[in-house]
């Protein structure tokens, strides 16, 4: 099946710094990628939809200036957590559908990135 | 709108069966089922797209009711490896992101 790769797998940073997380579709092109956040023992909450070549669409309550999303190519989307604070500590997961697949098809997830802000 | 999953948690002994339900107040385009182990990304189990559909294999299968508002995941003769949190993700069209339920924590004990 299709592969989505995420990097880094985990990162620890100091409060106030910025962290960039990369999400790559390795064997398919993804015009759209989705970023989710998951707090411990909770569900996956959609943060934003990343659109190749255009601005991301953010869910209500997600600060677009804090969570910068860039989808510069058909295989790469990045999420930058700016001026991170301890409450931003979470598991961030990206996902994508194979653009050649049927609508509503399987959502392929990256491995996830665990962010800890000290 | 977040789908409602039930039960929240279940404990099984090896070999026992379980049913996890996922329901929505509106008709859905699709239902996806995933299993997540602690600290790992979700792993895809199956998709249901058609009302009345049933799919899967002997041990893990799922159904989608005719109105496309309710899906159930069936785990038969559970194994220790089935332990994890099961999420249903629902889509309202072919290109929209999935909205996930709160999850059902399944623990299989020997």
């Amino acid at each position: 099946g299709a592969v989505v790769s995420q990097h880094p797998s985990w990162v620890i940073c100091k409060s106030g710094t910025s962290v960039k997380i990369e999400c790559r579709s390795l064997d398919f092109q993804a015009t759209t990628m989705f970023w989710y956040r998951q707090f411990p023992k909770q569900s996956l909450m959609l943060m934003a939809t990343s659109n190749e070549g255009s601005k991301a669409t953010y869910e209500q309550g997600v600060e677009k200036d804090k969570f910068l999303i860039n989808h510069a190519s058909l295989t790469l989307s990045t999420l930058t957590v700016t001026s991170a604070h301890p409450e931003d500590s979470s598991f961030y997961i990206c996902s994508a559908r194979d653009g050649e697949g049927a609508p509503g098809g399987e959502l392929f997830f990256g491995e996830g990135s665990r962010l800890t802000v000290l | 709108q977040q789908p409602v999953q039930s039960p929240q948690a279940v404990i099984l002994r090896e070999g026992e069966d379980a049913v996890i339900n996922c329901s929505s107040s509106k008709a859905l385009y699709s239902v996806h089922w995933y299993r997540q182990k602690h600290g790992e990304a979700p792993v895809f189990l199956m998709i249901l797209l058609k009302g009345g559909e049933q799919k899967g294999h002997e041990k893990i299968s799922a159904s989608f009711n005719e109105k496309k508002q309710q899906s159930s995941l069936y785990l038969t003769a559970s194994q220790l490896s089935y332990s994890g949190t099961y999420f249903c993700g629902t889509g309202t069209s072919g290109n929209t992101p999935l909205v996930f339920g709160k999850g059902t924590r399944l623990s299989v004990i020997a």
Side-chain angles (χ1 to χ4, degrees):
Chain A
V3 178
V4 174
S5 177
Q6 217 174 310
H7 177 81
S9 300
W10 56 271
V11 57
I12 301 172
C13 69
K14 291 183 178 180
S15 187
T17 60
S18 295
V19 174
K20 179 186 285 188
I21 300 170
E22 294 186 346
C23 178
R24 295 180 185 272
S25 55
L26 297 185
D27 51 0
F28 66 98
Q29 293 184 331
T31 55
T32 303
M33 290 185 175
F34 307 105
W35 286 95
Y36 290 85
R37 177 170 56 185
Q38 186 177 35
F39 292 108
K41 298 184 179 181
Q42 293 190 21
S43 184
L44 296 94
M45 299 304 295
L46 179 68
M47 296 176 67
T49 300
S50 172
N51 305 298
E52 187 268 334
S54 65
K55 291 182 179 180
T57 304
Y58 289 82
E59 295 299 299
Q60 193 172 13
V62 178
E63 299 174 58
K64 59 182 67 176
D65 293 331
K66 181 168 186 62
F67 298 100
L68 301 179
I69 291 173
N70 184 281
H71 196 147
S73 76
L74 286 171
T75 59
L76 174 64
S77 174
T78 60
L79 168 68
T80 301
V81 183
T82 62
S83 187
H85 287 95
E87 57 265 31
D88 298 324
S89 298
S90 187
F91 193 49
Y92 293 87
I93 312 176
C94 70
S95 62
R97 284 194 180 97
D98 184 343
E100 297 297 317
E106 179 181 349
L107 204 59
F108 298 100
F109 282 92
E111 305 94 330
S113 299
R114 187 166 301 282
L115 171 65
T116 301
V117 185
L118 302 177
Chain B
Q1 190 172 11
Q2 188 176 38
V4 177
Q5 264 186 259
S6 63
Q8 290 184 335
V10 59
I11 300 174
L12 299 175
R13 291 195 179 277
E14 271 188 294
E16 291 183 335
D17 303 339
V19 180
I20 300 172
N21 298 304
C22 175
S23 63
S24 170
S25 59
K26 297 182 179 179
L28 301 164
Y29 181 88
S30 63
V31 173
H32 302 224
W33 285 96
Y34 290 82
R35 176 172 59 211
Q36 186 179 31
K37 302 274 186 178
H38 180 67
E40 299 178 7
V43 173
F44 173 76
L45 295 176
M46 64 190 82
I47 298 174
L48 297 112
L49 291 166
K50 300 177 183 177
E53 181 177 13
Q54 292 193 41
K55 69 190 309 183
H57 58 75
E58 185 181 319
K59 294 289 183 70
I60 301 179
S61 61
S63 64
F64 200 9
N65 76 343
E66 289 288 346
K67 290 186 177 180
K68 301 183 72 174
Q69 289 182 253
Q70 197 268 339
S71 176
S72 296
L73 183 71
Y74 305 95
L75 303 165
T76 305
S78 59
Q79 305 168 12
L80 294 175
S81 61
Y82 287 5
S83 294
T85 301
Y86 289 79
F87 291 99
C88 68
T90 57
T92 54
S93 75
N95 295 313
T96 53
L98 297 181
V99 178
F100 288 90
K102 292 187 176 181
T104 296
R105 184 172 299 175
L106 178 73
S107 300
V108 181
I109 58 177

